[in-house]
Amino acid sequence: MTTGPGGLGEPTERVPIRWVLAFSLATVGTFVGWYGPLQILLAKQADAFSPGSKEAVLAVAAGIGALFSMLANPIWGALSDRTASRFGRRIPWVAVGTLGGVAGLLLMAAAQDAVGMIAGWCLVQTALNAPFAALSAAIPDQVPQQQRGTAGGYFGVAQTIGIMAGTGLAVAGGGIVGGYLACAVFVLLAPVPYVLLRRDRVLPAELRPPWSRRAFFAGFWLDPTHHRDFAWAWLTRFLINLSNSITLLYLLFYLQDAVGLPDPGGGVLVLTVIDAVTVLISVMVAGIWSDRIANRRAFVAWSGVIMAIAGFLLAGWQTWTGAVVAALVLGIGFGAYTSVDFALITQVLPEALDRGKDLGVINIANALPQVLAPVVAAPVVAHLGGYPVLYTAASVIALLGGVLVYRVKSVR
């Protein structure tokens, strides 16, 4: 890779396969910690603690946790940018955040009421954003631009495997406590090979900016008039993720109340596996393909269209068969989006020295939809037309995100 100032210039050498595997396993661990609760355990706890208002409790838990996630990610990213450890800029935050995430999962396992559940979830969301921010920044740190579609592919594959594994561990745990413990053990062990590999960029102490609290927090604002492509890329990601968050938030209750499935928890697991398999295929195919033809925007646009089709299926075909078909379609669309959009975003980052912080700002577009999705979904399901209206709205939002990617001009 290039050395550049302090070794922080654009990389030129391919990363070794051992790094790819260790990086991917660490990413899987982070997503197990998030999606075991999100897919199964939070909904089960909400039902156990407040069966008469489970939707509202789940909405509050998901929304508050996502707010913590939204605030934590750019801060962890900015701190990793400034870290002059001999272990590198990113690895220390992978280790520290993982330990905090495990502590949060154990707190959720021990929760006796909704307050304890929400407190644990906020700790999980806050802590696991440290490894996620560090791992996200490791790709532009170490992978050449012409291979970032492929890198986005294996990053997306790892996330998908994490979602699937988290859901499976939550079910295999045999109950709420067992599910949390199973997820916690996996989260703890998964990043160990990546940490021990110690392949990271070291920031020379002389390049670390002097500490100023005002300058640190002011750095999170990137003027959209000066960084137009960055701003449009952010908005595109926000809309696509808002659509996806709305689609997934009430999936357990959709299968239980609209479809009438006898085992909605098992149904969520089946749909998650179906979605994961299609994501695993499309995420790599789209990432490699976009590298070869050097066209990112078309893939993002078509991803929005395909995701919209999945939402329309859920809105108008409220059967188990319809849910299965929608899961297949959603996996194709979101898989292609995940790899290619990440590659696109790494090409519009303003400064190499601030990659962690800038990707953290981008990742607000992942977390903010989780805050807003409950705000949008809860009243729609309860008072404004139910699931047909909810999933139609998700489709419209996905289409809008697909169209607006063409406002990004510096990336084809």
Side-chain angles (χ1 to χ4, degrees), residues 67-367:
L67 179 61
F68 274 77
S69 176
M70 180 183 69
L71 297 174
N73 191 277
I75 292 175
W76 292 129
L79 290 172
S80 74
D81 286 337
R82 301 172 58 89
T83 299
S85 162
R86 63 189 178 92
F87 299 104
R89 295 201 290 172
R90 315 299 181 190
I91 284 177
W93 300 102
V94 173
V96 170
T98 295
L99 294 176
V102 169
L105 290 169
L106 296 178
L107 181 59
M108 295 179 76
Q112 300 298 310
D113 53 29
V115 173
M117 175 189 79
I118 292 171
W121 182 234
C122 290
L123 177 56
V124 170
Q125 287 278 48
T126 301
L128 289 184
N129 266 284
F132 183 60
L135 293 166
S136 298
I139 290 181
D141 278 354
Q142 303 202 38
V143 180
Q145 279 195 13
Q146 66 270 22
Q147 295 165 345
R148 287 190 191 158
T150 303
Y154 59 69
F155 194 32
V157 165
Q159 293 175 32
T160 303
I161 292 174
I163 294 170
M164 185 167 53
T167 306
L169 287 168
V171 172
I176 293 172
V177 174
Y180 279 123
L181 293 178
C183 290
V185 170
F186 191 97
V187 170
L188 180 64
L189 297 178
V192 171
Y194 183 80
V195 172
L196 294 179
L197 191 60
R198 292 183 60 178
R199 180 186 169 91
D200 200 355
R201 293 254 181 121
V202 175
L203 175 68
E206 62 270 18
L207 288 184
R208 181 169 55 187
W211 172 253
S212 165
R213 183 174 63 181
R214 181 175 181 179
F216 179 79
F217 288 103
F220 294 112
W221 170 249
L222 293 168
D223 189 343
T225 61
H226 293 146
H227 305 285
R228 292 181 183 274
D229 283 353
F230 184 88
W232 285 114
W234 189 97
L235 182 59
T236 295
R237 173 168 282 209
F238 167 77
L239 291 170
I240 295 290
N241 278 281
L242 179 59
S243 173
N244 195 57
S245 295
I246 290 173
T247 301
L248 296 179
L249 178 64
Y250 284 153
L251 189 57
L252 183 80
F253 299 149
Y254 173 79
L255 294 178
Q256 177 179 293
D257 300 332
V259 177
L261 201 66
D263 180 16
V268 171
L269 178 58
V270 171
L271 294 182
T272 301
V273 171
I274 292 170
D275 178 77
V277 170
T278 52
V279 166
L280 287 172
I281 296 170
S282 65
V283 74
M284 287 306 302
V285 170
I288 295 170
W289 193 0
S290 75
D291 278 343
R292 289 180 177 175
I293 68 173
N295 188 336
R296 314 288 191 197
R297 295 184 302 177
F299 283 90
V300 174
W302 277 106
S303 296
V305 172
I306 294 169
M307 290 175 64
I309 293 171
F312 287 131
L313 287 171
L314 290 170
W317 191 9
Q318 295 185 14
T319 65
W320 173 242
T321 302
V324 169
V325 174
L328 286 166
V329 174
L330 184 65
I332 293 170
F334 196 68
Y337 166 79
T338 297
S339 60
V340 178
D341 184 68
F342 186 83
L344 181 150
I345 282 169
T346 64
Q347 294 177 230
V348 298
L349 298 177
E351 298 289 342
L353 188 62
D354 296 326
R355 286 172 179 143
K357 182 262 293 180
D358 293 339
L359 280 169
V361 173
I362 284 288
N363 283 331
I364 292 175
N366 295 341

